[in-house]
């Protein structure tokens, strides 16, 4: 059996970013993707300054910025009353503080930038239609078996294969955790949303057991919408229910109900995450992105953290070219505590959005009303450059 230098399982944003970074660090890299073509689930993508910093390190910042929309503000509204609760100014003061902008984009557009960059890199090979069904760790390499019976071995196996990662099973056998939340996604032509929606805002509507996230993509021609509701307490089946979905949003402001009515209620995405792991590595394998730290969407950090993983992994490999063990441990040291914090913070943040407790809801809204648009103090831990990077 031929042994590959580096094998990346998973051709999403994290996997392609890792391949690009590792190839530029001198690793010959094969990327395998189970789908028949490279594609991303869902239309919209929020990219904070930490993600843009990673794109800059990858050498693709310009093309990503060209595909993105640069919103002026992020606005939180009460989903029942329609009241504007708080605004986050995303303008010059935000960019000056973090060195990069906050942008929103279509997932396919961002993925296309990474695919083009990978195809231009002579050290990268891309293959689709490869479904991993088993992963084993050997003395000298890791081995992946695919649905058609083919096996591939690699000195370094990168698990970028998402929530239900096969590579993760080398470390953790537990299933993903269903949050009780179900998402419905869709894009709408801007003109169908009416004149009341600001064209350059990211708008979040929060209410009892529900929220609706909206933002422009494709130059503002389309709006990405994600509507989420909580299933009743005790509901174990991680599937949405059309009648539950409609009933949950029946209490919402008329504008919210109009927006949600544009989303297909028959396509649902149960929301899962994972508990933090104490390690992401074995002798010959390493996890990144959702395979390592699947998190709820309430910080907008899923793709952002995967991109930071990719850059950190390649830098660790470059710093320790003759010791894979030291490189992988260095990667863990740089990334595991921060990504785990994102996992744990996202859960109560989502609970706060969805609270049905009248006292907590009133207090939440009061605190939001009091904050200034240029108060970024709660975001520094997410968006500021790590100390060693800023040096």
């Amino acid at each position: 059996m031929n042994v590959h230098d580096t094998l990346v399982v998973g051709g999403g944003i994290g996997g392609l970013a890792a391949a690009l970074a590792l190839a530029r660090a001198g690793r010959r890299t094969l990327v395998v993707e189970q789908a028949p073509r490279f594609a991303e689930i869902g239309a919209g993508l929020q990219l904070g300054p930490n993600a843009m910093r990673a794109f800059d390190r990858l050498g693709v910042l310009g093309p990503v910025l060209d595909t993105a929309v640069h919103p002026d503000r992020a606005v939180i509204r009460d989903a029942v009353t329609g009241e504007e609760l708080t605004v986050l100014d995303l303008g010059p003061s935000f960019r000056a503080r973090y060195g990069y902008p906050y942008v929103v984009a279509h997932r396919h557009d961002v993925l296309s930038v990474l695919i083009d960059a990978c195809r231009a890199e002579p050290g990268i090979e891309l293959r689709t239609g490869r479904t991993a069904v088993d992963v084993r760790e050997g003395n000298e390499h890791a081995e992946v078996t695919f649905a058609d019976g083919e096996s591939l071995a690699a000195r370094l196996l990168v698990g970028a294969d998402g929530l239900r990662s096969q590579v993760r099973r080398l470390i953790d056998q537990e299933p993903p955790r269903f949050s009780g939340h179900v998402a419905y996604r869709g894009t709408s032509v801007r003109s169908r949303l009416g004149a009341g929606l600001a064209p350059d805002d990211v708008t979040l509507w929060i209410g009892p057991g529900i929220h609706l996230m909206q933002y422009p993509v494709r130059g503002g021609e389309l709006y990405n919408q994600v509507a989420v509701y909580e299933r009743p307490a005790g509901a174990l089946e991680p599937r949405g229910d059309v009648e539950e979905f409609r009933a949950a949003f029946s209490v919402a402001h008329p504008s919210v109900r109009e927006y949600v009515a544009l989303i297909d209620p028959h396509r649902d995405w149960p929301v899962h995450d994972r508990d933090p792991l104490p390690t992401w590595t074995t002798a010959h394998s390493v996890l990144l992105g959702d395979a390592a730290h699947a998190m709820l969407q309430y910080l907008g950090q899923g793709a952002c953290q995967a991109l930071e993983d990719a850059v950190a992994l390649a830098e660790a490999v470059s710093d320790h070219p003759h010791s894979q063990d030291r490189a992988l441990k260095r990667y863990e040291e740089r990334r595991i505590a921060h990504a785990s914090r994102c996992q744990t913070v996202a859960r109560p943040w989502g609970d706060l959005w969805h609270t049905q407790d009248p006292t907590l809801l009133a207090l939440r809204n009061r605190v939001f009303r009091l904050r200034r648009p240029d108060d970024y103090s709660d975001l520094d831990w997410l968006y500021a450059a790590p100390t060693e990077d800023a040096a």
Side-chain angles (χ1 to χ4, degrees):
M1 181 185 298
N2 290 330
V3 179
H4 293 270
D5 185 20
T6 305
L7 174 61
V8 177
V9 180
I13 287 172
L16 291 174
L20 185 61
L22 287 165
R24 290 176 177 172
R27 306 284 302 225
R28 295 196 63 83
T29 304
L30 169 63
V31 181
V32 293
E33 163 59 33
Q34 68 175 351
R37 60 186 179 86
F38 291 97
E40 278 279 320
I41 296 175
L45 191 61
Q46 301 175 65
L47 297 168
N50 55 324
M52 306 315 289
R53 187 177 298 113
F55 281 129
D56 200 5
R57 297 281 183 89
L58 293 168
V60 295
L61 178 62
V64 171
L65 289 174
D66 289 343
T67 71
V69 173
H70 300 240
D72 297 323
R73 311 186 308 163
V75 181
I76 298 180
R77 293 183 175 274
D78 188 301
V80 176
T81 68
E83 176 192 2
E84 183 177 283
L85 298 175
T86 191
V87 172
L88 180 66
D89 181 355
L90 299 173
S93 59
F94 179 91
R95 294 191 291 272
R97 188 180 186 98
Y98 300 119
Y100 294 88
Y102 172 102
V103 305
V104 288
H106 198 287
R107 284 177 176 268
H108 177 75
D109 296 341
V110 174
L111 195 73
S112 294
V113 170
L114 290 172
I115 291 170
D116 289 345
C118 285
R119 285 176 174 157
E121 195 69 37
I124 297 176
E125 180 184 354
L126 304 176
R127 297 182 192 173
T128 56
R130 313 304 300 144
T131 300
V133 295
D134 186 49
V135 179
R136 296 176 298 283
E137 179 97 9
N139 292 329
E140 302 296 331
H141 51 72
E143 185 178 329
V144 181
T145 300
F146 297 91
D148 63 358
E150 181 189 22
S151 292
L152 297 176
R155 297 179 183 88
L156 176 60
L157 173 63
V158 180
D161 47 340
L163 178 71
R164 292 177 172 80
S165 166
Q166 284 290 328
V167 181
R168 183 184 173 107
R169 292 174 64 83
L170 292 172
I171 299 169
D172 174 44
Q173 299 285 329
E174 292 297 315
R177 167 189 170 272
F178 175 49
S179 66
H181 304 175
V182 182
Y184 294 78
R185 304 186 181 113
T187 56
S188 298
V189 177
R190 173 69 183 84
S191 60
R192 297 188 66 191
L193 296 171
L197 199 61
D200 294 321
D201 284 355
V202 172
T203 304
L204 170 64
W205 307 79
I206 57 176
I210 58 172
H211 78 265
L212 172 66
M213 175 68 79
Q214 301 173 301
Y215 50 85
V217 295
R218 294 272 167 90
E221 296 177 4
L222 297 176
Y223 247 75
N224 184 64
Q225 297 199 111
V226 182
V228 175
Y229 85 98
E230 292 187 16
R231 297 214 63 198
L236 299 178
E237 177 67 25
R239 299 300 308 179
D241 179 278
V242 173
E243 295 308 316
E244 284 180 1
F245 175 55
R246 288 171 174 161
F249 277 91
S250 66
V251 301
H253 188 272
S255 294
V256 174
R257 296 201 303 270
E258 290 175 9
Y259 299 143
V260 170
L262 298 174
I263 302 174
D264 182 356
H266 300 98
R267 295 193 64 195
D268 61 285
W269 284 266
V271 180
H272 294 78
D273 70 350
R274 294 275 198 175
D275 290 326
L277 286 175
T279 182
W280 296 347
T281 65
T282 67
H284 305 291
S285 73
V286 61
L287 304 177
L288 65 77
D290 281 354
H293 48 67
M295 60 191 67
L296 302 185
Q297 71 268 44
Y298 299 110
L299 297 177
Q301 281 291 301
C304 301
Q305 292 301 303
L307 288 162
E308 288 197 78
D309 291 346
V311 171
L313 176 59
E315 289 179 349
V317 167
S318 182
D319 290 344
H320 302 284
H322 304 300
S323 175
Q324 183 162 290
D325 181 66
R326 291 181 64 188
L328 298 187
K329 292 305 177 187
R330 177 59 178 147
Y331 164 65
E332 278 193 348
E333 289 170 2
R334 290 191 60 185
R335 292 293 305 141
I336 199 166
H338 184 75
S340 296
R341 182 181 179 186
C342 290
Q343 289 177 280
T344 56
V345 169
R347 289 175 177 177
W349 190 231
D351 292 339
L352 185 64
W353 287 10
H354 289 181
T355 184
Q356 302 187 47
D357 181 293
T359 302
L360 181 57
L361 189 151
L363 179 61
R364 178 201 70 189
N365 288 2
R366 183 173 185 272
V367 170
F368 277 155
R369 293 187 194 104
L370 290 173
R371 67 168 298 281
R372 301 189 317 273
D374 63 350
D375 179 0
Y376 306 124
S377 56
D378 291 331
L379 299 175
D380 286 345
W381 73 277
L382 270 182
Y383 293 155
T387 303
E388 64 180 17
D389 290 344

